[in-house]
Amino acid sequence: MKLVFCGTPEFAVPSLEAVLAAGHEVALVLTQPDRPAGRKMELQVPAVKQAALAHGLPVMQPEKIKNNLELRERLEAIQPDAIVVVAYGRIIPEWMLTLPRFGCINVHGSLLPKYRGAAPIQWAVANGETETGVTTMVLDKGLDTGGMLLYRKVLVEKSTTAQQVYPQLSHIGAEVLVESLAGLEKGSLKPYPQDESQASLAPILTREDGRMELAHRTATQVYDRWRGFSPWPGAHGIFRGKRFLVHGMKPVEVADLAPGELALREGALVVGAAHGTAVALEEVQMEAKPRMAGAVFARDFQVKPGERVD
């Protein structure tokens, strides 16, 4: 096939590499503009752009695409068989959806229709799912509502973080994408509708999603959200009027602490959660201070019995 590939972060790179290895022609790569990032606000080049240039592929980085006449003329001149979209970070306008004969083929990091939206991997882990996966679909005007092509499941262990799931799904997604393109080309694969009754949303993450809310969530719920939301927005609360960040934790069998109450138990810093559960805080950080082991924090900050994290 003649393809246009749309993608931005590292998650999309295996898919680009896979379609090239399968013999497809990538006539153009679309990715987001280079942007300043980090403490020094140095200009960061998207991972997909780096991969595309390494293969000598033409790249465009439009700031906007909906009413971009130059982009539209370029794509109409290419007349791609399909437009592949993997973590591009842009809403695809209707004129692009209808341009290719096979449509815009998307690799989505969940088992649709569950977890439609911007952060499917994070929310699946944060909600304690024991399996997730990838789905290929033909994009339509809705939010991840298009006809499905193929999917593949993966198990999520109770200690697995979203960061660990990302690379796994990116490579599986690349394999499923190549299978989907082959099926479309042969005519053996047709999109089929999603079951709307099973749909759920995975909205873009906010800083508030990292609040532990120990009075309302059990230790398992707090732990699962930390697994899903690390490194950002992570897990945090308020201690002595300042932000208190938790970089490592695990549920423990301690039943005598009120929600938010801190204590040392067998050399570990433990905090109470809802319904008589508790979490060991393995690595913590006070705002503007260095990270440290929970037990070291309790000693250095002289945590007193009854003190709380809110």
Side-chain angles (χ1 to χ4, degrees), residues 34-307:
D34 301 356
R35 300 194 190 282
R39 288 186 177 180
K40 296 182 179 179
M41 296 301 285
E42 294 176 340
L43 210 58
Q44 301 292 312
V45 178
V48 164
K49 178 182 177 180
Q50 296 179 45
L53 294 178
H55 286 282
L57 302 175
V59 176
M60 286 184 70
Q61 296 177 273
E63 189 68 56
K64 297 181 180 180
I65 60 175
K66 184 176 181 179
N67 299 310
N68 189 322
L69 186 58
E70 178 190 2
L71 174 62
R72 185 166 185 168
E73 290 175 346
R74 181 86 174 264
L75 294 187
E76 288 175 347
I78 292 172
Q79 283 295 304
D81 296 308
I83 296 175
V84 174
V85 183
V86 187
Y88 180 32
R90 285 277 188 272
I91 295 174
I92 305 301
E94 189 171 3
W95 67 263
M96 279 181 66
L97 295 176
T98 57
L99 179 64
R101 64 189 179 111
F102 291 115
C104 293
I105 311 304
N106 177 234
V107 177
H108 186 76
S110 81
L111 298 173
L112 289 170
K114 293 187 76 172
Y115 300 109
R116 295 171 173 173
I121 298 174
Q122 295 98 316
W123 280 107
V125 176
N127 286 338
E129 299 284 3
T130 56
E131 67 176 17
T132 185
V134 292
T135 307
T136 52
M137 66 172 167
V138 180
L139 290 174
D140 62 12
K141 291 187 291 184
L143 178 65
D144 300 326
T145 55
M148 294 166 54
L149 296 168
L150 295 172
Y151 67 88
R152 190 172 300 170
K153 297 179 179 181
V154 298
L155 296 178
V156 182
E157 301 292 339
K158 286 303 293 179
S159 60
T160 300
T161 66
Q163 270 190 304
Q164 294 167 323
V165 176
Y166 257 90
Q168 184 181 13
L169 291 190
S170 71
H171 287 92
I172 292 173
E175 295 172 4
V176 178
L177 170 62
V178 170
E179 292 175 25
S180 299
L181 293 174
L184 289 170
E185 196 172 20
K186 293 175 185 175
S188 60
L189 188 61
K190 301 290 184 184
Y192 61 96
Q194 298 183 32
D195 180 356
E196 292 295 324
S197 69
Q198 300 299 312
S200 63
L201 293 178
I204 192 168
L205 296 174
T206 69
R207 182 166 161 171
E208 281 302 298
D209 289 320
R211 286 292 299 270
M212 290 187 287
E213 297 188 2
L214 295 159
H216 307 293
R217 296 191 179 110
T218 66
T220 297
Q221 290 170 328
V222 171
Y223 175 63
D224 287 343
R225 288 176 72 93
W226 168 77
R227 291 191 300 122
F229 298 157
S230 293
W232 194 90
H236 54 86
I238 302 295
F239 179 65
R240 296 179 182 172
K242 295 184 177 181
R243 284 188 81 224
F244 177 75
L245 294 85
V246 181
H247 299 291
M249 67 167 73
K250 64 179 179 182
V252 290
E253 296 292 330
V254 174
D256 62 340
L257 295 175
E261 183 182 356
L262 289 166
L264 274 174
R265 291 288 190 273
E266 299 180 3
L269 181 62
V270 177
V271 65
H275 305 307
T277 61
V279 176
L281 306 180
E282 298 175 316
E283 186 178 20
V284 300
Q285 180 182 17
M286 280 290 278
E287 187 175 5
K289 300 291 184 181
R291 294 160 66 145
M292 60 184 69
V296 174
F297 174 88
R299 181 195 67 203
D300 290 0
F301 283 80
Q302 298 181 353
V303 175
K304 299 175 181 61
E307 283 199 279

